[in-house]
């Protein structure tokens, strides 16, 4: 058994810092780096890449709608044609900077409102896949199993990596518990570790109200860098998995 | 004898258009494309790259200070370390998008206030060269002969291409006539053609007040895309050069 | 009989120009000035205000979603609470600059995707009205008759000015013909003049396919500054109206 | 004896927070609020104004160069004419939003690189004063005693408020110790309190190397909101001053 642990990173901007990149890179095995459209700037990007190199963590790009103030979480109505150009610009910028640091860019994972769009909209997903793979057909895409993005990746012959969450509750219909509910997040490290173990070992997730279990397949588990106690959560998850003989390594 | 003709391109943004890219690409042999910091956006970038491919024109990146409102013409005090990261981000974005269109990115030419900075400041020039060549040692740098940028390129072992202007007057000290003077620009196509011929055939430029001639070496002649009548100027220059047996081709 | 003629203005930005403000201000009686979020910058704003003062034209603010690249025409999902703050910021900036030029800010008209939102969404419309009137209860709002914005203005006791278009076709359901159709715009000045006369004199609009006439009430007629030939259209409309004894004056 | 204590505020942006506004507003008597150009956004602005109203703190605007990534600390070469428009836009936005919250905008204090510019450049200072006072001649300007800004305020007949620092060392020539030195800041609350007492009671500041005392006049003492322990510093300063019978109140 084998699993990747991933976190978002590089979400500081100019004078403002966000996240716990330094601590998380000690535990996770891959990071998705903000590309400058919702967070990140060239200085932050370079420092994050250097941190990943020192920590031996695999790197990916985390492109977004162009919306720093809304942190890429406000949906924007953008055509598939423009979406493709916008994602290609971002992925190219990060890929080039990674290359300059001697790192390959292994994956692309959409951020925020763009993530939700390409999980559900086939045209947008096709544009996203074209942009992500335009300069490297070997790059992976990361997202929900069964999503529009997975289908678009399959059409394009690009590897898709299914992701589940160690720090979020799920509802009975398979969706994530809305962030508007106070219990959307799992912040107790041992709870997160139990959920991670259940996903990796049994392929199952117990839903928020404990009424049933969902079947799930995942090659990577995500911890959100802005979840309170994210580094402790990641450490507890990794310790539990390794204690059970699961190999924790980049996909 | 052989010379490249170059123009800036891709300087539209969102709803706003600028320049005569379509017309200029019929005549020049290389273009320097705005990277999104002073002008250009992902849609404009892609369209400009496709135009260059159709026209068979060589492409380069035209990075700038981050200042759309000032069109990159306002000097900003930025450290060499930050300048390097900022240029690397821009060059990477354009290089990746060019690659996606099947085009190599052949050169990097600084824009506006950044151009003036790296012509004179050795630290800034070193940072600029590192950024421009980080992902491709074969990429050329373009600028004034004898500049800090030329020295930095030599230190790094990167090819430097000397540029002269077909549409600007020069002063006796070798500098360009300030844009604050009404006669800074050469807008008469036959005058521009005469200056171009003098540069290419005799290695000389007659200064604005006609008091003397400067000695000059250039591998490329620039026409500014916002000079009135730029396409006509470029056509007259090319016709004169070709009529004299000069080969007009990308460096 | 009396009517106002209005146009958008101040939609240039930095090095880029857009619209025919100088020409239109010779003919229209009020302008709606971009506030810096979709177009305009402090220099453009000040020049536009001075132009309005010289031409004796009434001024209003034209706030937008924060989206220069999309020219405020891409819908963004923003809460009513944030929308209110964002509009108040823009209206305050323009009102202060107008005051510094000795001009009162008479009206507020939403732009682009924000216009469409507040025509249909009651919560958004309430936020918009609060923001527009926060610093001056005597300021008017401009929009479609029968819209959510009109109802919100009525609830707040703020004057609402109904607008119709001299340069756009209407459909049988009262909506504007989509800009995606080639015949969305009326660019023939005499056609625009006929539509304007029909609106002002008879309170009627003949729909695009000429199958019927709609009943309409309007206190102002809009010409879009980016409609081809906008100044000629405005002049033909004004001449026709004045020839029929209609008083053309700011509301 | 009477003194104002001031702090910068509203320097969060979108998802990123900065400063200790809530804690500082319990102790200081006036705040200078970021206007959206180096920090702040309409939501942050409104929340900061409401915080000031609840705390009974006097409010001013803190305009900046347009540079979020550099936090307004990178010098930009901008003409006095453009500087005036840019400051007027910012001050108008904050003044209007303050008015909507029932608060008058009492002062304007330049931020970062713009502060340094208008302390030394007479043309820039004149433009700044015109912009700050354009909509309210009773608004104060805040800055160094003896600066270009003070002279410009005097020429315009606008009240100028001299500021000194409770949390920064001074050099023998009267300048602030550069932030590049490790001992630029005074972070020990009792040290800051001693410096504040010396300024207010004796009109003197002991320089960093303790070699001499400078003579100083100040109507307000500034604590930087990003100085480590800023709220504790402000509390110690206020307690010391009030213990000595000094009235701490807005200017």
């Amino acid at each position: 058994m084998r699993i990747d642990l991933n976190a978002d990173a590089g979400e500081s901007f100019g004078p403002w810092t966000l996240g716990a990149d330094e601590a998380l890179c000690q535990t996770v095995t891959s990071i998705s780096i903000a590309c400058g459209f919702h967070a990140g700037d060239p200085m932050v990007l370079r420092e994050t890449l250097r941190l990943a190199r020192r920590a031996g963590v695999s790197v990916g790009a985390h492109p977004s709608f162009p919306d720093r103030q809304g942190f890429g979480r406000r949906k924007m109505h953008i055509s598939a044609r423009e979406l493709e150009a916008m994602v290609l610009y971002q992925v190219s910028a990060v890929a080039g900077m990674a290359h300059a640091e001697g790192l390959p860019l292994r994956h692309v994972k959409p951020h925020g409102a763009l993530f939700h769009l390409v999980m559900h909209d086939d045209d947008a997903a096709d544009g996203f896949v074209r942009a992500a793979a335009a300069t490297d057909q070997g790059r992976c895409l990361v997202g929900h199993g069964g999503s529009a993005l997975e289908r678009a990746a399959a059409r394009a012959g690009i590897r898709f990596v299914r992701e589940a969450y160690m720090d979020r509750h799920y509802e009975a219909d398979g969706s994530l518990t809305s962030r508007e509910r106070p219990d959307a997040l799992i912040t107790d490290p041992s709870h997160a570790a139990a959920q991670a173990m259940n996903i990796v070992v049994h392929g199952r997730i117990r839903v928020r109200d404990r009424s049933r279990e969902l079947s799930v397949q995942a090659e990577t588990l995500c911890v959100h860098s802005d979840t309170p106690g994210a580094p402790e959560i990641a450490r507890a998850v990794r310790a539990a998995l390794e204690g059970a003989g699961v190999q924790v390594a980049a996909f």
Side-chain angles (χ1 to χ4, degrees), chain A:
Chain A
M1 279 181 298
R2 175 186 171 128
I3 193 83
D4 171 73
L5 304 182
N6 84 75
D8 299 343
E11 293 188 331
S12 295
F13 175 63
W16 297 285
T17 54
L18 194 72
D21 294 0
E22 190 91 32
L24 279 168
C25 277
Q26 306 313 310
T27 308
V28 301
T29 44
S30 66
I31 56 173
S32 304
I33 305 180
C35 308
F37 274 42
H38 76 286
D41 61 49
M43 293 285 271
V44 168
L45 250 167
R46 188 168 60 186
E47 284 164 32
T48 308
L49 288 162
R50 290 177 180 176
L51 168 61
R53 196 179 50 198
R54 286 195 307 273
V57 169
S58 176
V59 299
H62 201 34
S64 167
F65 285 127
D67 179 20
R68 283 196 191 110
Q69 189 186 327
F71 200 57
R73 288 184 173 150
R74 303 192 287 206
K75 186 175 174 186
M76 296 179 71
H77 292 235
I78 287 184
S79 71
R81 223 165 61 86
E82 180 155 9
L83 185 152
E84 181 182 344
M86 170 188 102
V87 172
L88 178 55
Y89 181 94
Q90 295 179 67
V91 171
S92 295
V94 178
M97 294 192 76
H99 183 74
E101 298 297 333
L103 295 170
L105 191 76
R106 296 250 189 234
H107 72 273
V108 181
K109 176 181 162 182
H111 169 82
L114 180 60
F115 182 92
H116 293 293
L117 177 64
V118 298
M119 291 304 128
H120 295 103
D121 182 303
D122 287 312
D123 282 351
D126 280 328
F128 191 90
V129 169
R130 277 194 300 273
T135 59
D136 182 351
Q137 289 280 314
R139 211 167 269 156
C140 308
L141 291 155
V142 177
H144 289 324
S147 63
L149 189 64
E150 184 172 43
R151 293 190 297 274
R155 280 192 290 277
I158 307 296
R159 181 175 169 200
F160 185 82
V161 172
R162 290 182 167 191
E163 177 184 65
Y165 296 92
M166 62 176 87
D167 61 350
R168 293 290 297 275
H169 277 116
Y170 286 74
E171 296 297 311
D173 65 357
S175 68
L176 295 174
T177 300
S178 165
R179 281 182 182 271
E180 308 201 343
R181 284 189 59 102
D183 55 356
L185 298 180
I186 299 173
T187 56
D188 173 14
S190 60
H191 186 161
Q195 175 153 314
M197 285 291 288
N198 201 22
I199 295 168
V200 176
V201 177
H202 303 109
R204 303 190 72 77
I205 289 176
R206 184 167 294 277
V207 301
R208 181 182 50 80
D209 65 7
R210 312 191 60 74
S211 62
R212 54 171 297 202
E213 286 202 329
L214 306 170
S215 180
V216 68
Q217 287 181 308
E219 291 184 77
T220 183
L221 297 183
C222 179
V223 59
H224 293 84
S225 55
D226 60 350
T227 295
E232 293 70 35
I233 290 170
R235 278 197 292 271
V237 165
R238 182 163 184 154
L241 291 168
E242 291 185 332
V246 176
Q247 187 190 0
V248 177
F251 47 79

